[in-house]
Amino acid sequence: MITFKTNLGDIKIALDFDKAPVTAANFKQYCEEGFYEGTIFHRVIKGFMAQGGGFESGMLEKDTRASIKNEANNGLSNKRGTLAMARTQDPHSASAQFFINLVDNNFLDFKNESVQGWGYCVFGEVAEGMDIVDKMTLVETGRRGYHDDVPKDEIIVESVEVA
């Protein structure tokens, strides 16, 4: 179990090492290294998802390790409360950024091994604290530099505990 202590409250995350072993291990390693401490949820879209893991306060981008293989073909679905890896257009470009699905987002699921069909790998779920995640959607968002949907009041991961 991983606990993200945020300035809005605690979010407990259960990882799925059986269905997404590479992705879960990657996320856990970032947690153990303290990578996520001081990061912000930098993109929050009500009725869609809350994304974090890539920026520190002030929208300063963090350096990450190499990208990992996309394991979206694992049978897991982007349902409300699940965690999935964020990535670029390249299906195998995920590194540290992740998002929490605020609703069922089945359109993000794996369909086939094409650029358009790979989808986004689900690797865990919120075990406790979905009420905290829902609180994120109440924060006013706007544009900051090249980024849209950035919370005006930062949502900060203050510490991470791995149990």
Side-chain angles (χ1 to χ4, degrees), residues 16 19-20 72-79 109-110 120 122-124:
D16 194 329
K19 298 264 176 104
N73 56 348
N74 61 16
L76 297 175
S77 181
N78 283 274
K79 301 279 187 212
D109 293 349
F110 174 84
Y120 294 78
V122 173
F123 65 94

Side-chain angles (χ1 to χ4, degrees), residues 120-141:
Y120 294 78
C121 177
V122 173
F123 65 94
E125 66 183 341
V126 174
E128 290 177 41
M130 209 44 210
D131 58 324
I132 303 304
V133 177
D134 287 335
K135 269 192 208 177
M136 293 181 188
T137 68
L138 304 177
V139 175
E140 188 180 341
T141 61

